[in-house]
Amino acid sequence: MTELAVVTPSFGPDFELCAALHRSVLAHSPASVRHHIIVPRADLPRFGELRGERTVLHDEAEFLPRSVRPLPGTKYSVNLRRPFPPLRGWILQQVIKLAATARIPADVVVLVDSDIEFVRQFSAATFRRDGVVRFYRQPAEIDQRLPRHVRWHEVARTLLGVPAAPPPYTDYVSSLLAWDPVVVRAMLQRIESVTGQRWVDAVGSQLHFSEWTLYGVFVDEVLGGPAAQAFTATDSRCHAYWDETPLDEASIIRFLGRLRPDDVAVMVSAKSRTPFPVRRAALAALAESGQ
């Protein structure tokens, strides 16, 4: 039987969102699916109530080398083996995702941030077909209009030893993505071979980095071939709201009304500052409607 793991890095301020996500994982997936929630040590007591038969709560230190230490009183960590630049929270979270996927025993890992909720049934078959994990890609979507995305591609190519190439690039960034742990382990080995460093040191030293872009460039440019791309898709199966403007009761209902038939999840970005009660009520109404 194919093993599916859902992995969510989170922290104290996102507890309510993460708890709602967790309830949706349990409600919409088979009993074989495990939800791995990874939080800073200081937040373990608060998240402890989410522990259960299908839930594994991790201290984020489990997935970091001993050389990575939090800087007291800041949102940064420092890698003692390469102390500059310090590790920003966003980069650290990406390092944790990579390390967790490489280590957690599963055939497919679905990486899900706290601001996502599942609204329809899903299983390993949703993200894996004929032994190949679903690969999200949008060809020729990245160019100079998206300078950060362009930079992410440049960094990924450097880390992986892939020759430079001009835009347009393929977009691999989405709100809900599946990774193959075997591919991730090979990718991290490739980084170490190319850079001559531990992959954590090479990735952690970056100021601009996207884990999704790294994985996509590795599959397309290093693995290549029909086997690696046998299950590609241009839809994420997650209806996403990326704007930073808060949704109110009317606008979130309109947003959810555009849910597509094959979407299994909804993402309302935490950066939108949409009030949790508004979000909770709208998603509850969606569940009651049976859509």
Side-chain angles (χ1 to χ4, degrees):
M1 181 175 66
T2 300
E3 294 289 339
L4 168 66
V6 177
V7 171
T8 303
S10 193
F11 72 132
D14 280 351
F15 175 76
E16 283 188 318
L17 290 172
C18 188
L21 162 64
H22 178 58
R23 289 191 294 269
S24 78
V25 171
L26 299 185
H28 292 96
S29 65
S32 60
V33 173
R34 297 290 179 269
H35 190 191
H36 295 262
I37 300 173
I38 308 168
V39 299
R41 182 167 300 168
D43 292 326
L44 287 171
R46 187 172 188 189
F47 282 80
E49 67 184 69
L50 303 183
R51 279 195 177 97
E53 193 172 317
R54 296 177 54 195
T55 315
V56 186
L57 184 60
H58 300 270
D59 179 346
E60 65 181 20
E62 294 177 34
F63 302 104
L64 298 170
R66 293 181 180 178
S67 61
V68 175
R69 308 283 179 84
L71 285 173
T74 76
K75 297 181 180 180
Y76 299 93
S77 295
V78 63
N79 182 355
L80 298 178
R81 290 184 55 161
R82 188 161 184 171
F84 186 82
L87 283 159
R88 294 169 296 161
W90 184 47
I91 297 293
L92 186 68
Q93 187 179 81
Q94 294 180 79
V95 167
I96 290 168
K97 287 178 181 178
L98 291 164
T101 301
R103 189 178 307 176
I104 288 171
D107 300 299
V108 54
V109 168
V110 177
L111 295 121
V112 185
D113 288 337
S114 296
D115 52 9
I116 291 176
E117 285 190 44
F118 288 97
V119 296
R120 294 185 178 129
Q121 295 297 311
F122 70 98
S123 67
T126 307
F127 301 102
R128 195 170 187 258
R129 184 176 68 197
D130 298 327
V132 179
V133 172
R134 194 174 194 268
F135 179 43
Y136 172 83
R137 64 194 306 277
Q138 292 272 9
E141 284 291 315
I142 305 300
D143 56 27
Q144 289 82 357
R145 294 169 298 175
L146 296 167
R148 290 185 69 202
H149 289 67
V150 169
R151 184 63 182 136
W152 293 341
H153 270 267
E154 293 169 349
V155 169
R157 287 173 172 270
T158 298
L159 289 172
L160 295 169
V162 173
Y169 300 128
T170 298
D171 188 8
Y172 306 107
V173 178
S174 182
S175 50
L176 180 70
L177 288 174
W179 279 353
D180 184 335
V182 173
V183 171
V184 170
R185 289 191 288 270
M187 179 178 71
L188 300 182
Q189 290 174 358
R190 169 82 175 202
I191 292 172
E192 293 186 343
S193 175
V194 168
T195 66
Q197 305 175 59
R198 296 186 310 179
W199 71 264
V200 171
D201 301 334
V203 169
S205 66
Q206 303 302 318
L207 293 175
H208 304 280
F209 177 74
S210 163
E211 75 278 40
W212 311 132
T213 303
L214 181 74
Y215 184 92
V217 170
F218 182 73
V219 173
D220 269 344
E221 304 287 347
V222 178
L223 295 183
Q229 302 172 353
F231 187 12
T232 59
T234 56
D235 64 290
S236 67
R237 306 205 66 176
C238 180
H239 186 40
Y241 180 77
W242 292 98
D243 292 355
E244 297 189 10
T245 303
L247 293 170
D248 58 20
E249 294 177 1
S251 57
I252 196 170
I253 292 298
R254 289 195 298 270
F255 164 71
L256 293 176
R258 296 191 291 273
L259 192 72
R260 295 163 298 203
D262 60 349
D263 287 328
V264 298
V266 167
M267 188 278 282
V268 176
S269 174
K271 293 182 180 179
S272 74
R273 306 178 310 283
T274 296
F276 185 76
V278 169
R279 173 195 178 104
R280 187 74 253 126
L283 287 168
L286 177 69
E288 289 176 6
S289 72
Q291 292 185 27

